Amino acid sequence: MKVISGPASKELAEHISALTGFDNIPVASKVFPDGESYVRLEGDVKSENVAIVQTTCPPMQDGRLFQLAFIADAAKRGGASKVTAVVPYLAYARQDKTFLAGEGISVETIARMLKASGIDELITVNIHSEPTLKQFPFPAKTLSAIPLLAKYFVNKGFKGAFALSPDKGAMYIAKQAQEVLGGDAGHLNKQRDRYTGQTVQTAEGLNVKNQTVIILDDIISTGGTIVGAAKILREQGAKHVFCACVHGLLIGDAEKRILDAGVEEIVGTDSVPGNISKVSLAPLLSQELRSQK
Ligand code: R5P
């Protein structure tokens, strides 16, 4: 297998190559003056299974999706036998159903576009809703980075911390973290108005008094969910509040608003490279690629 370094995940791809020993193929990329993307593989892929590592987080998630598709096409034209897309953050994964009349299912459209470009298989990390993947036109799998995030806090001396999910539907995240942290786990309740996007959070039967609490979520976007959760935890007498997410999009001033809300540290992964990406997905993705080379 060879690992192709998508422009959005160059460091992660190189890290995966270093861990697996698979050759790394760089990609030259540029944006034309009119905004269109260009990519070129700088290595031979003939008769190889290749893994293209390319996250599709903001900014320019559409451009990153196009880069991914163009790389897949280049790989197939170059004679690659099998093209696996390793897409830690899959853009549009939250539009996975028609919530309101007249909407489409964006993530399924994206999957069909990727299939048409030459992708044979997809690996992502903590997709918002796993059943989505069953609708994709190729085998698709999601891995969980939650144990790695929980381990980060264990290594910092927070074994026994309370694992909190900000939403009942994401309780599986708190449970995965709990297995590593060894403390209690629980969730808040969150309801979203589908027209305004506004959410209301409540806590029922939660006891976090004097506890160190780690709020864990798949995505932090505007930060509103974490800010609301932190406020509730402070009201309930939590001693320390941290937060961890797989995909730290941190749109606008989200990071500042979360810290201002009393969260002591925000921890994310290199799914979204940036200030808070303190945990690498490379070991998780390397293990998966090694198992299927
Ligand atoms: C949605 O249900 C997700 O799991 C996240 O909780 C959500 O995307 C976070 O968004 P925001 O940071 O804008 O509140």
Side-chain angles (χ1 to χ4, degrees):
M1 176 173 273
K2 289 189 176 179
V3 175
I4 300 179
S5 286
S9 294
K10 191 171 172 292
E11 282 180 20
L12 175 59
E14 286 169 359
H15 193 170
I16 291 171
S17 282
L19 291 180
T20 55
F22 297 150
D23 282 353
N24 188 273
I25 299 187
V27 173
S29 68
K30 66 181 175 186
V31 177
F32 289 108
D34 62 1
E36 293 180 356
S37 297
Y38 168 91
V39 297
R40 184 172 56 80
L41 304 185
E42 296 187 311
D44 184 21
V45 294
K46 196 165 174 48
S47 304
E48 296 281 353
N49 288 349
V50 296
I52 307 167
V53 184
Q54 168 84 342
T55 201
T56 58
C57 62
M60 62 173 255
Q61 51 271 61
D62 295 356
R64 287 171 167 172
L65 281 166
F66 272 97
Q67 286 176 332
L68 173 61
F70 295 158
I71 295 169
D73 178 57
K76 273 284 163 75
R77 286 174 195 272
S81 336
K82 181 178 168 195
V83 176
T84 300
V86 178
V87 189
Y89 177 77
L90 182 62
Y92 296 99
R94 284 176 290 175
Q95 184 68 28
D96 58 355
K97 45 175 96 89
T98 48
F99 297 98
L100 299 175
E103 292 178 350
I105 303 183
S106 310
V107 71
E108 289 185 20
T109 309
I110 297 296
R112 290 197 299 273
M113 286 167 55
L114 294 178
K115 167 84 178 169
S117 72
I119 287 167
D120 298 304
E121 178 186 48
L122 182 135
I123 299 168
T124 187
V125 182
N126 289 97
I127 192 163
H128 185 60
S129 164
E130 191 167 351
T132 304
L133 298 175
K134 293 206 176 73
Q135 305 306 323
F136 284 18
F138 40 54
K141 181 172 190 175
T142 182
L143 307 175
S144 180
I146 298 300
L148 290 175
L149 288 165
K151 190 145 182 285
Y152 173 92
F153 286 97
V154 170
N155 291 343
K156 286 197 80 166
F158 295 114
K159 182 99 190 146
F162 189 106
L164 183 91
S165 152
D167 189 357
K168 188 174 179 189
M171 185 60 199
Y172 75 96
I173 290 181
K175 284 199 171 134
Q176 285 179 7
Q178 181 187 30
E179 278 177 28
V180 178
L181 290 164
D184 289 331
H187 65 84
L188 300 178
N189 294 310
K190 181 169 86 168
Q191 285 194 312
R192 186 180 294 275
D193 182 315
R194 287 286 161 201
Y195 287 94
T196 64
Q198 294 291 329
T199 56
V200 179
Q201 288 162 283
T202 50
E204 283 149 34
L206 194 71
N207 181 7
V208 292
K209 199 165 172 53
N210 291 325
Q211 295 231 44
T212 294
V213 183
I214 302 166
I215 314 167
L216 297 119
D217 210 350
D218 53 348
I219 303 173
I220 299 178
S221 182
T222 65
T225 301
I226 300 294
V227 168
K231 188 165 171 280
I232 292 175
L233 293 174
R234 288 293 180 203
E235 285 165 4
Q236 304 242 336
K239 191 156 111 201
H240 297 289
V241 178
F242 297 91
C243 82
C245 66
V246 181
H247 313 292
L249 306 182
L250 298 178
I251 305 302
D253 62 352
E255 185 173 355
K256 179 176 182 314
R257 291 196 307 115
I258 292 170
L259 296 174
D260 288 350
V263 173
E264 293 174 42
E265 185 180 359
I266 313 170
V267 178
T269 76
D270 48 7
S271 158
V272 182
N275 284 348
I276 65 148
S277 39
K278 301 170 189 177
V279 171
S280 179
L281 297 174
L284 182 71
L285 294 168
S286 297
Q287 190 182 25
E288 177 63 26
L289 293 177
R290 257 198 239 104
S291 76
Q292 53 171 256
K293 71 174 179 183

Short mmCIF file of all heavy atoms in Angstrom, two decimals, residues 94 128 167 190 217-225, ligand 1:
data_model
loop_
_atom_site.label_atom_id
_atom_site.label_comp_id
_atom_site.label_asym_id
_atom_site.label_seq_id
_atom_site.Cartn_x
_atom_site.Cartn_y
_atom_site.Cartn_z
N ARG A 94 -23.46 15.92 8.68
CA ARG A 94 -24.59 16.21 9.56
C ARG A 94 -25.90 16.39 8.79
O ARG A 94 -26.97 16.37 9.37
CB ARG A 94 -24.29 17.44 10.44
CG ARG A 94 -23.33 17.10 11.59
CD ARG A 94 -22.96 18.32 12.40
NE ARG A 94 -22.10 19.22 11.65
CZ ARG A 94 -21.69 20.40 12.09
NH1 ARG A 94 -22.06 20.82 13.29
NH2 ARG A 94 -20.90 21.15 11.35
N HIS A 128 -20.89 11.62 12.33
CA HIS A 128 -21.97 12.04 13.23
C HIS A 128 -22.99 10.92 13.46
O HIS A 128 -23.44 10.71 14.58
CB HIS A 128 -22.65 13.29 12.66
CG HIS A 128 -23.67 13.84 13.58
ND1 HIS A 128 -23.36 14.26 14.86
CD2 HIS A 128 -24.99 14.01 13.44
CE1 HIS A 128 -24.46 14.67 15.45
NE2 HIS A 128 -25.46 14.53 14.61
N ASP A 167 -25.42 15.40 24.89
CA ASP A 167 -26.66 15.04 24.21
C ASP A 167 -26.91 13.55 24.46
O ASP A 167 -25.97 12.75 24.38
CB ASP A 167 -26.40 15.29 22.71
CG ASP A 167 -27.65 15.18 21.87
OD1 ASP A 167 -28.70 14.85 22.44
OD2 ASP A 167 -27.54 15.42 20.66
N LYS A 190 -30.36 17.76 24.82
CA LYS A 190 -30.27 18.92 23.93
C LYS A 190 -31.37 18.83 22.89
O LYS A 190 -31.56 17.78 22.27
CB LYS A 190 -28.89 18.92 23.25
CG LYS A 190 -28.67 20.09 22.31
CD LYS A 190 -27.23 20.19 21.87
CE LYS A 190 -26.92 19.35 20.67
NZ LYS A 190 -25.61 19.63 20.06
N ASP A 217 -17.50 15.34 22.72
CA ASP A 217 -18.45 15.43 21.61
C ASP A 217 -17.73 15.04 20.32
O ASP A 217 -16.49 15.07 20.26
CB ASP A 217 -19.01 16.86 21.50
CG ASP A 217 -20.43 16.87 20.94
OD1 ASP A 217 -20.91 15.83 20.48
OD2 ASP A 217 -21.06 17.95 20.98
N ASP A 218 -18.51 14.69 19.30
CA ASP A 218 -17.86 14.37 18.02
C ASP A 218 -17.33 15.66 17.38
O ASP A 218 -16.19 15.71 16.91
CB ASP A 218 -18.81 13.60 17.07
CG ASP A 218 -20.15 14.29 16.84
OD1 ASP A 218 -20.47 15.25 17.58
OD2 ASP A 218 -20.88 13.88 15.93
N ILE A 219 -18.15 16.70 17.38
CA ILE A 219 -17.79 17.95 16.69
C ILE A 219 -17.98 19.14 17.63
O ILE A 219 -18.95 19.18 18.39
CB ILE A 219 -18.73 18.18 15.48
CG1 ILE A 219 -18.68 16.99 14.52
CG2 ILE A 219 -18.41 19.47 14.75
CD1 ILE A 219 -19.69 17.07 13.38
N ILE A 220 -17.06 20.09 17.57
CA ILE A 220 -17.36 21.42 18.11
C ILE A 220 -17.37 22.35 16.91
O ILE A 220 -16.38 22.46 16.19
CB ILE A 220 -16.32 21.91 19.13
CG1 ILE A 220 -16.25 20.97 20.34
CG2 ILE A 220 -16.67 23.33 19.59
CD1 ILE A 220 -15.20 21.38 21.37
N SER A 221 -18.49 22.97 16.69
CA SER A 221 -18.59 23.89 15.55
C SER A 221 -18.58 25.33 16.07
O SER A 221 -17.53 25.92 16.26
CB SER A 221 -19.86 23.56 14.75
OG SER A 221 -19.95 24.39 13.64
N THR A 222 -19.73 25.88 16.40
CA THR A 222 -19.77 27.25 16.93
C THR A 222 -19.36 27.30 18.40
O THR A 222 -19.12 28.37 18.94
CB THR A 222 -21.19 27.82 16.84
OG1 THR A 222 -22.05 27.04 17.71
CG2 THR A 222 -21.72 27.78 15.43
N GLY A 223 -19.36 26.14 19.05
CA GLY A 223 -19.03 26.09 20.48
C GLY A 223 -20.25 26.24 21.38
O GLY A 223 -20.16 26.08 22.59
N GLY A 224 -21.41 26.53 20.78
CA GLY A 224 -22.62 26.77 21.58
C GLY A 224 -22.96 25.60 22.49
O GLY A 224 -23.34 25.80 23.65
N THR A 225 -22.81 24.39 21.99
CA THR A 225 -23.16 23.20 22.79
C THR A 225 -22.26 23.11 24.02
O THR A 225 -22.73 22.86 25.13
CB THR A 225 -23.00 21.93 21.92
OG1 THR A 225 -23.86 22.05 20.79
CG2 THR A 225 -23.32 20.67 22.68
C1 R5P B 1 -24.44 17.72 17.00
O1 R5P B 1 -25.37 17.09 17.47
C2 R5P B 1 -23.00 17.45 17.28
O2 R5P B 1 -22.80 16.27 17.97
C3 R5P B 1 -22.37 18.60 18.03
O3 R5P B 1 -22.86 18.64 19.35
C4 R5P B 1 -22.65 19.90 17.35
O4 R5P B 1 -22.36 19.80 15.98
C5 R5P B 1 -21.85 21.01 17.98
O5 R5P B 1 -22.18 22.21 17.36
P1 R5P B 1 -21.92 23.59 18.06
O6 R5P B 1 -20.48 23.63 18.50
O7 R5P B 1 -22.23 24.61 17.00
O8 R5P B 1 -22.87 23.70 19.21
#
